[in-house]
Amino acid sequence: ARDVVYHNGCVYVDDRHEGVQCIDVSDPFNPEIVANILSGNLTRHIVIVDDILYMSDGRDGLKIIDVSVPGSPVFLIRVALGEGVGSTTIVGNRAFVADLDEVMHVLNVADPANPQLITTAEWPGLESSRRIIASDGLFFTANDQLGLRITDVTLCLSFADFDSSGSVGARDLATLLASWGAKGADLNGDELVDTQDLAILLAAWGS
């Protein structure tokens, strides 16, 4: 086993080539396998947020599964990304997906069944990264070769490029201001567009 997550009375175990096993542990002295989510390649990482399981499945991409009913996972979608998905972290309605080809993909997962790619940016060192965690605009990356890396996301990703023009500009600012006080264009993951999000967008201006 490579990874394990507890959720709603079940333990989800990343069994690499065999996919993810869902084990009912409501009776810890008598655990029972109640479901198996097959891998199309090599499962590297799993994370569950709001009853949604994000399965980093190597060259088979990112798989998104509804696990709201224990033991009855519902496959929602598979997202093919680059050379293969190594790890995923969720911040608010954003999924940050580390690619084995040393790029980071940023997706809007407000609707998990219909994720939208926001941007993709080069990020050296991701190929050998085991885990990524995001908090307060920082990424903490556990890397086999480089150890712990702490990176300011605003210096690496133009995920404020809402119109996918290739750079952050006036139209992106208009999009953010139109969502002020709501969460539609949230950038820092607190589900509220405010001055912190404006600061992130301005820091990425032109990039």
Side-chain angles (χ1 to χ4, degrees), residues 15-69:
D15 201 17
R16 304 198 73 183
H17 294 287
E18 301 301 322
V20 177
Q21 293 183 345
C22 174
I23 304 173
D24 185 341
V25 291
S26 54
D27 178 359
F29 296 100
N30 188 31
E32 178 184 4
I33 297 176
V34 292
N36 190 45
I37 304 169
L38 296 178
S39 169
N41 181 240
L42 176 63
T43 307
R44 295 175 177 270
H45 180 223
I46 54 176
V47 61
I48 299 176
V49 177
D50 295 333
D51 291 331
I52 301 297
L53 186 149
Y54 299 86
M55 180 176 173
S56 302
D57 203 20
R59 298 188 185 280
D60 210 37
L62 175 67
K63 294 178 179 177
I64 303 178
I65 299 113
D66 184 336
V67 292
S68 56
V69 179

Side-chain angles (χ1 to χ4, degrees), residues 2-191:
R2 186 184 181 101
D3 204 359
V4 61
V5 175
Y6 176 84
H7 179 71
N8 202 16
C10 288
V11 168
Y12 294 81
V13 179
D14 168 8
D15 201 17
R16 304 198 73 183
H17 294 287
E18 301 301 322
V20 177
Q21 293 183 345
C22 174
I23 304 173
D24 185 341
V25 291
S26 54
D27 178 359
F29 296 100
N30 188 31
E32 178 184 4
I33 297 176
V34 292
N36 190 45
I37 304 169
L38 296 178
S39 169
N41 181 240
L42 176 63
T43 307
R44 295 175 177 270
H45 180 223
I46 54 176
V47 61
I48 299 176
V49 177
D50 295 333
D51 291 331
I52 301 297
L53 186 149
Y54 299 86
M55 180 176 173
S56 302
D57 203 20
R59 298 188 185 280
D60 210 37
L62 175 67
K63 294 178 179 177
I64 303 178
I65 299 113
D66 184 336
V67 292
S68 56
V69 179
S72 299
V74 177
F75 179 83
L76 297 179
I77 194 170
R78 180 181 76 87
V79 184
L81 294 167
E83 293 299 314
V85 175
S87 182
T88 301
T89 189
I90 309 297
V91 181
N93 59 10
R94 299 287 193 266
F96 294 86
V97 184
D99 195 315
L100 299 177
D101 198 29
E102 299 199 331
V103 297
M104 181 77 80
H105 306 282
V106 186
L107 293 84
N108 185 328
V109 290
D111 178 3
N114 186 32
Q116 301 295 316
L117 181 66
I118 298 173
T119 192
T120 294
E122 293 184 0
W123 194 315
L126 281 181
E127 181 179 3
S128 55
S129 294
R130 292 289 186 181
R131 294 289 180 273
I132 53 173
I133 298 174
S135 178
D136 297 328
L138 297 174
F139 274 96
F140 302 88
T141 308
N143 188 289
D144 281 345
Q145 301 173 0
L146 302 175
L148 175 66
R149 302 181 70 191
I150 303 175
T151 311
D152 184 343
V153 66
T154 63
L155 300 178
C156 300
L157 296 173
S158 295
F159 60 93
D161 181 19
F162 298 114
D163 64 355
S164 300
S165 65
S167 65
V168 177
R171 286 186 294 183
D172 304 300
L173 175 60
T175 298
L176 184 139
L177 294 177
S179 299
W180 199 265
K183 64 178 183 179
D186 174 43
L187 292 174
N188 66 351
D190 64 359
E191 300 190 353

